[in-house]
Amino acid sequence: MAFFSCVAWLYVARRLWQDAENRKLLANLLKRNIEQKPKVLTIEDKLIVLGCKDLERRIVEVEMDLTLAKSQGYLKHQLPQSESSSQRKLLAVIGVYTGFGSYLKRNTFRGSWMPRGDALKKLEERGVVIRFVIGRSANRGDSLDPHIDEENSKTKDFFILEGHEEAQEELPKKIKFFFSTAVQNWDAEFYIKVDDNIGVDLEGLIGLLEHLRRQDSSYIGCMKSGEVVSEEGKLWYEPDWWKFGDEKSYFRHASGSLLILSKNLAQYINTNSASLKTYAHDDISVGSWMMGVQAIYIDDNRLCCSSIKQDKVCSVA
């Protein structure tokens, strides 16, 4: 009897232990299923989600309206319509690149093709603005910026790009800053970039531009293409050479010595400046931007500054 009682006790104990393990396993499975079950949204939760979606939609609409407004000429720093409407639209804004160490070169220009003092003001009355274009020193607080400010206070012929750092490797970004800022400061038919080693026949250039007045989407210059230099360390090396295909040849673009954009193309650069890709050279960068829009390419050999043509309007100084 004692033996059978012991066996019965062991059997009952084993069953109770198995039942406890099963209950524990079932409890864990139930807990896991509850955690994985999607939460039931309350009415308040649904209203919050719908509100966020509506706010996101409104933000997108406002951004689209802002982009449209900027493309139509409602730009930051632009004069109110009541003030600007009375002013005659300029023919051109000419930006002559310069640097911190180019004081003598600037004086040479002022004594040759570029007017100074009262003559510069009279030219502006004819509808042509000319400015030396320069950024700010990378080392804020040094003597470079004060020297430029002092020179500008005397000559009044600088266009200082406050948000741009003046450096050789930053030239592709400089041209984007120039067109973006110039179109915000002046209302003109054309915006022109000129290198600091180029002399200009001003009357010849004005005559060329007068003939092209009111021709939107004009991308004007001495059109060219050329080999993409893929070997690092060589002159004109292009870090993004692999993007130009197996032939390693640049697309057609206006030479950077002197290139001209109509107002709507300059506005396009200003509106999309944050997303426009720059390459190693400023003329290639502008050419890549023009490929993405309905630009009218005007190849004028009078703008080939290094040619030997007699009727050209620019030359290498």
Side-chain angles (χ1 to χ4, degrees):
M1 290 293 291
F3 174 76
F4 282 112
S5 296
C6 182
V7 171
W9 180 81
L10 289 173
Y11 175 76
V12 172
R14 185 184 177 198
R15 290 299 301 272
L16 291 173
W17 180 79
Q18 287 180 341
D19 289 343
E21 287 293 316
N22 290 336
R23 284 195 299 271
K24 184 177 179 181
L25 179 61
L26 289 172
N28 289 336
L29 289 174
L30 181 61
K31 182 179 179 181
R32 190 180 305 167
N33 288 336
I34 291 174
E35 291 176 350
Q36 294 178 351
K37 185 178 179 180
K39 178 183 177 182
V40 178
L41 292 177
T42 64
I43 294 178
E44 290 78 8
D45 293 333
K46 291 181 180 179
L47 289 175
I48 291 173
V49 171
L50 291 174
C52 290
K53 288 184 177 179
D54 181 64
L55 181 60
E56 181 180 4
R57 177 184 59 81
R58 289 165 62 188
I59 290 174
V60 171
E61 290 177 353
V62 170
E63 289 177 342
M64 292 175 64
D65 290 341
L66 178 61
T67 300
L68 178 61
K70 291 180 71 177
S71 67
Q72 292 176 344
Y74 296 95
L75 306 172
K76 188 174 67 172
H77 304 316
Q78 189 174 3
L79 291 173
Q81 186 66 26
S82 59
E83 296 180 22
S84 61
S85 59
S86 62
Q87 298 179 359
R88 186 168 65 90
K89 188 172 186 178
L90 297 171
L91 174 63
V93 174
I94 303 174
V96 182
Y97 272 26
T98 190
F100 292 113
S102 300
Y103 175 76
L104 294 178
K105 190 176 292 186
R106 288 193 293 272
N107 273 348
T108 301
F109 278 2
R110 292 183 184 116
S112 57
W113 67 269
M114 183 174 172
R116 66 172 82 188
D118 293 337
L120 189 64
K121 293 180 181 179
K122 289 181 179 179
L123 184 65
E124 293 179 10
E125 292 173 1
R126 293 179 57 191
V128 178
V129 171
I130 305 179
R131 294 289 186 273
F132 288 113
V133 181
I134 193 169
R136 286 302 191 182
S137 172
N139 302 314
R140 294 300 177 95
D142 60 17
S143 62
L144 297 177
D145 288 339
H147 285 166
I148 293 296
D149 292 335
E150 182 181 358
E151 184 181 348
N152 187 37
S153 67
K154 298 175 182 177
T155 60
K156 302 292 192 298
D157 58 2
F158 277 89
F159 182 32
I160 300 174
L161 306 175
E162 295 292 347
H164 175 69
E165 181 181 301
E166 188 67 31
Q168 183 66 30
E169 63 274 13
E170 298 294 329
L171 285 178
K173 294 180 181 178
K174 182 175 181 177
I175 199 166
K176 183 161 62 171
F177 266 93
F178 166 63
F179 283 123
S180 296
T181 315
V183 80
Q184 294 181 51
N185 282 270
W186 292 285
D187 180 21
E189 294 272 357
F190 301 101
Y191 299 84
I192 306 171
K193 175 258 179 177
V194 180
D195 274 345
D196 65 350
N197 64 336
I198 299 299
V200 178
D201 173 7
L202 203 51
E203 292 300 325
L205 179 60
I206 291 173
L208 184 152
L209 296 175
E210 287 284 4
H211 183 69
L212 295 172
R213 264 190 186 274
R214 290 176 291 279
Q215 186 165 327
D216 287 341
S217 304
S218 295
Y219 173 39
I220 311 165
C222 177
M223 298 296 169
K224 64 173 187 174
S225 60
E227 180 185 359
V228 180
V229 179
S230 59
E231 296 181 34
E232 189 172 0
K234 282 194 172 183
L235 187 64
W236 312 119
Y237 169 65
E238 174 60 73
D240 290 316
W241 59 267
W242 58 275
K243 294 183 179 180
F244 295 91
D246 297 333
E247 298 297 326
K248 295 183 182 178
S249 179
Y250 284 122
F251 40 75
R252 188 71 62 182
H253 62 277
S255 169
S257 298
L258 192 157
L259 63 88
I260 306 169
L261 297 182
S262 60
K263 181 178 180 178
N264 64 325
L265 293 182
Q267 283 181 324
Y268 168 77
I269 294 174
N270 175 54
T271 303
N272 301 279
S273 59
S275 58
L276 290 176
K277 159 77 176 173
T278 56
Y279 291 93
H281 315 295
D282 56 1
D283 53 355
I284 300 299
S285 300
V286 175
S288 69
W289 307 334
M290 296 302 102
M291 290 182 68
V293 296
Q294 296 291 335
I296 300 172
Y297 283 58
I298 299 177
D299 183 12
D300 195 321
N301 54 22
R302 288 174 294 177
L303 299 174
C304 296
C305 305
S306 59
S307 73
I308 59 174
K309 288 183 65 66
Q310 296 297 320
D311 61 344
K312 63 182 180 178
V313 300
C314 61
S315 59
V316 178

mmCIF file of all heavy atoms in Angstrom, residues 67 70-71 176 180 264-277 289 293:
data_model
loop_
_atom_site.group_PDB
_atom_site.id
_atom_site.type_symbol
_atom_site.label_atom_id
_atom_site.label_comp_id
_atom_site.label_asym_id
_atom_site.label_seq_id
_atom_site.Cartn_x
_atom_site.Cartn_y
_atom_site.Cartn_z
ATOM 1 N N THR A 67 7.821 78.739 -54.809
ATOM 2 C CA THR A 67 8.666 78.521 -55.983
ATOM 3 C C THR A 67 8.095 79.235 -57.203
ATOM 4 O O THR A 67 8.816 79.862 -57.976
ATOM 5 C CB THR A 67 8.791 77.014 -56.268
ATOM 6 O OG1 THR A 67 9.381 76.368 -55.139
ATOM 7 C CG2 THR A 67 9.672 76.765 -57.484
ATOM 8 N N LYS A 70 8.631 83.026 -56.865
ATOM 9 C CA LYS A 70 10.014 83.416 -57.136
ATOM 10 C C LYS A 70 10.316 83.363 -58.627
ATOM 11 O O LYS A 70 10.995 84.223 -59.176
ATOM 12 C CB LYS A 70 10.981 82.500 -56.376
ATOM 13 C CG LYS A 70 10.955 82.699 -54.874
ATOM 14 C CD LYS A 70 11.918 81.770 -54.169
ATOM 15 C CE LYS A 70 13.348 82.155 -54.419
ATOM 16 N NZ LYS A 70 14.306 81.300 -53.693
ATOM 17 N N SER A 71 9.777 82.332 -59.326
ATOM 18 C CA SER A 71 10.022 82.224 -60.759
ATOM 19 C C SER A 71 9.353 83.334 -61.542
ATOM 20 O O SER A 71 9.761 83.648 -62.660
ATOM 21 C CB SER A 71 9.526 80.863 -61.265
ATOM 22 O OG SER A 71 8.117 80.775 -61.174
ATOM 23 N N LYS A 176 27.186 80.885 -59.628
ATOM 24 C CA LYS A 176 25.808 80.669 -59.186
ATOM 25 C C LYS A 176 25.379 81.786 -58.242
ATOM 26 O O LYS A 176 24.258 82.312 -58.347
ATOM 27 C CB LYS A 176 25.685 79.289 -58.503
ATOM 28 C CG LYS A 176 24.285 78.948 -58.067
ATOM 29 C CD LYS A 176 24.116 77.448 -57.829
ATOM 30 C CE LYS A 176 24.986 76.922 -56.734
ATOM 31 N NZ LYS A 176 24.648 75.513 -56.386
ATOM 32 N N SER A 180 22.369 84.559 -59.154
ATOM 33 C CA SER A 180 21.259 84.565 -58.194
ATOM 34 C C SER A 180 21.110 85.919 -57.526
ATOM 35 O O SER A 180 19.998 86.440 -57.373
ATOM 36 C CB SER A 180 21.479 83.483 -57.126
ATOM 37 O OG SER A 180 21.467 82.196 -57.685
ATOM 38 N N ASN A 264 15.108 85.450 -67.447
ATOM 39 C CA ASN A 264 14.380 84.293 -66.933
ATOM 40 C C ASN A 264 15.305 83.117 -66.627
ATOM 41 O O ASN A 264 15.036 82.326 -65.722
ATOM 42 C CB ASN A 264 13.267 83.878 -67.894
ATOM 43 C CG ASN A 264 13.789 83.403 -69.237
ATOM 44 O OD1 ASN A 264 14.791 83.924 -69.732
ATOM 45 N ND2 ASN A 264 13.124 82.439 -69.832
ATOM 46 N N LEU A 265 16.423 83.018 -67.340
ATOM 47 C CA LEU A 265 17.385 81.955 -67.026
ATOM 48 C C LEU A 265 18.144 82.275 -65.738
ATOM 49 O O LEU A 265 18.441 81.379 -64.939
ATOM 50 C CB LEU A 265 18.361 81.769 -68.184
ATOM 51 C CG LEU A 265 17.755 81.229 -69.485
ATOM 52 C CD1 LEU A 265 18.840 81.052 -70.539
ATOM 53 C CD2 LEU A 265 17.012 79.920 -69.250
ATOM 54 N N ALA A 266 18.458 83.553 -65.534
ATOM 55 C CA ALA A 266 19.085 83.946 -64.263
ATOM 56 C C ALA A 266 18.121 83.719 -63.103
ATOM 57 O O ALA A 266 18.527 83.295 -62.009
ATOM 58 C CB ALA A 266 19.515 85.409 -64.327
ATOM 59 N N GLN A 267 16.833 83.978 -63.327
ATOM 60 C CA GLN A 267 15.829 83.714 -62.296
ATOM 61 C C GLN A 267 15.730 82.223 -61.994
ATOM 62 O O GLN A 267 15.550 81.819 -60.845
ATOM 63 C CB GLN A 267 14.462 84.244 -62.733
ATOM 64 C CG GLN A 267 14.311 85.746 -62.597
ATOM 65 C CD GLN A 267 12.932 86.201 -63.024
ATOM 66 O OE1 GLN A 267 12.343 85.658 -63.956
ATOM 67 N NE2 GLN A 267 12.407 87.201 -62.353
ATOM 68 N N TYR A 268 15.865 81.405 -63.036
ATOM 69 C CA TYR A 268 15.834 79.952 -62.843
ATOM 70 C C TYR A 268 16.975 79.509 -61.926
ATOM 71 O O TYR A 268 16.783 78.676 -61.030
ATOM 72 C CB TYR A 268 15.942 79.250 -64.194
ATOM 73 C CG TYR A 268 16.210 77.764 -64.092
ATOM 74 C CD1 TYR A 268 15.198 76.874 -63.771
ATOM 75 C CD2 TYR A 268 17.493 77.260 -64.298
ATOM 76 C CE1 TYR A 268 15.452 75.510 -63.668
ATOM 77 C CE2 TYR A 268 17.756 75.908 -64.200
ATOM 78 C CZ TYR A 268 16.732 75.040 -63.885
ATOM 79 O OH TYR A 268 16.992 73.693 -63.775
ATOM 80 N N ILE A 269 18.167 80.063 -62.142
ATOM 81 C CA ILE A 269 19.309 79.724 -61.286
ATOM 82 C C ILE A 269 19.043 80.165 -59.853
ATOM 83 O O ILE A 269 19.331 79.436 -58.897
ATOM 84 C CB ILE A 269 20.590 80.362 -61.841
ATOM 85 C CG1 ILE A 269 20.953 79.737 -63.191
ATOM 86 C CG2 ILE A 269 21.749 80.203 -60.853
ATOM 87 C CD1 ILE A 269 22.123 80.400 -63.882
ATOM 88 N N ASN A 270 18.485 81.360 -59.693
ATOM 89 C CA ASN A 270 18.189 81.850 -58.348
ATOM 90 C C ASN A 270 17.166 80.969 -57.647
ATOM 91 O O ASN A 270 17.329 80.618 -56.469
ATOM 92 C CB ASN A 270 17.661 83.284 -58.438
ATOM 93 C CG ASN A 270 17.222 83.821 -57.091
ATOM 94 O OD1 ASN A 270 17.980 83.802 -56.131
ATOM 95 N ND2 ASN A 270 15.989 84.288 -57.004
ATOM 96 N N THR A 271 16.116 80.586 -58.355
ATOM 97 C CA THR A 271 15.057 79.777 -57.753
ATOM 98 C C THR A 271 15.546 78.389 -57.353
ATOM 99 O O THR A 271 15.154 77.856 -56.320
ATOM 100 C CB THR A 271 13.875 79.644 -58.732
ATOM 101 O OG1 THR A 271 13.408 80.943 -59.098
ATOM 102 C CG2 THR A 271 12.730 78.862 -58.104
ATOM 103 N N ASN A 272 16.438 77.804 -58.156
ATOM 104 C CA ASN A 272 16.856 76.419 -57.943
ATOM 105 C C ASN A 272 18.307 76.294 -57.483
ATOM 106 O O ASN A 272 18.892 75.214 -57.592
ATOM 107 C CB ASN A 272 16.665 75.627 -59.245
ATOM 108 C CG ASN A 272 15.242 75.633 -59.722
ATOM 109 O OD1 ASN A 272 14.402 74.870 -59.247
ATOM 110 N ND2 ASN A 272 14.935 76.496 -60.689
ATOM 111 N N SER A 273 18.875 77.371 -56.976
ATOM 112 C CA SER A 273 20.306 77.373 -56.654
ATOM 113 C C SER A 273 20.701 76.294 -55.652
ATOM 114 O O SER A 273 21.796 75.742 -55.722
ATOM 115 C CB SER A 273 20.728 78.748 -56.127
ATOM 116 O OG SER A 273 19.984 79.085 -54.966
ATOM 117 N N ALA A 274 19.796 75.974 -54.731
ATOM 118 C CA ALA A 274 20.137 74.994 -53.693
ATOM 119 C C ALA A 274 20.338 73.598 -54.264
ATOM 120 O O ALA A 274 21.084 72.789 -53.696
ATOM 121 C CB ALA A 274 19.048 74.965 -52.624
ATOM 122 N N SER A 275 19.700 73.288 -55.385
ATOM 123 C CA SER A 275 19.764 71.927 -55.935
ATOM 124 C C SER A 275 20.590 71.824 -57.209
ATOM 125 O O SER A 275 20.741 70.730 -57.749
ATOM 126 C CB SER A 275 18.343 71.416 -56.222
ATOM 127 O OG SER A 275 17.665 72.269 -57.114
ATOM 128 N N LEU A 276 21.154 72.933 -57.703
ATOM 129 C CA LEU A 276 21.930 72.887 -58.940
ATOM 130 C C LEU A 276 23.343 72.386 -58.667
ATOM 131 O O LEU A 276 24.055 72.923 -57.824
ATOM 132 C CB LEU A 276 21.974 74.273 -59.594
ATOM 133 C CG LEU A 276 20.661 74.781 -60.185
ATOM 134 C CD1 LEU A 276 20.834 76.197 -60.711
ATOM 135 C CD2 LEU A 276 20.154 73.857 -61.271
ATOM 136 N N LYS A 277 23.745 71.371 -59.395
ATOM 137 C CA LYS A 277 25.059 70.753 -59.243
ATOM 138 C C LYS A 277 26.138 71.595 -59.917
ATOM 139 O O LYS A 277 25.948 72.098 -61.026
ATOM 140 C CB LYS A 277 25.009 69.355 -59.869
ATOM 141 C CG LYS A 277 26.340 68.746 -60.265
ATOM 142 C CD LYS A 277 27.105 68.228 -59.078
ATOM 143 C CE LYS A 277 28.395 67.536 -59.515
ATOM 144 N NZ LYS A 277 29.236 67.169 -58.363
ATOM 145 N N TRP A 289 23.318 73.349 -66.341
ATOM 146 C CA TRP A 289 22.017 73.878 -65.904
ATOM 147 C C TRP A 289 21.142 74.218 -67.104
ATOM 148 O O TRP A 289 19.933 73.998 -67.074
ATOM 149 C CB TRP A 289 22.207 75.122 -65.043
ATOM 150 C CG TRP A 289 23.134 74.925 -63.893
ATOM 151 C CD1 TRP A 289 23.409 73.742 -63.252
ATOM 152 C CD2 TRP A 289 23.940 75.918 -63.233
ATOM 153 N NE1 TRP A 289 24.331 73.943 -62.247
ATOM 154 C CE2 TRP A 289 24.671 75.255 -62.210
ATOM 155 C CE3 TRP A 289 24.098 77.292 -63.412
ATOM 156 C CZ2 TRP A 289 25.552 75.941 -61.383
ATOM 157 C CZ3 TRP A 289 24.972 77.970 -62.592
ATOM 158 C CH2 TRP A 289 25.690 77.305 -61.578
ATOM 159 N N VAL A 293 16.704 72.990 -69.199
ATOM 160 C CA VAL A 293 15.594 73.916 -69.460
ATOM 161 C C VAL A 293 15.499 74.158 -70.963
ATOM 162 O O VAL A 293 16.359 73.740 -71.738
ATOM 163 C CB VAL A 293 15.791 75.254 -68.721
ATOM 164 C CG1 VAL A 293 15.764 75.041 -67.221
ATOM 165 C CG2 VAL A 293 17.099 75.926 -69.124
#
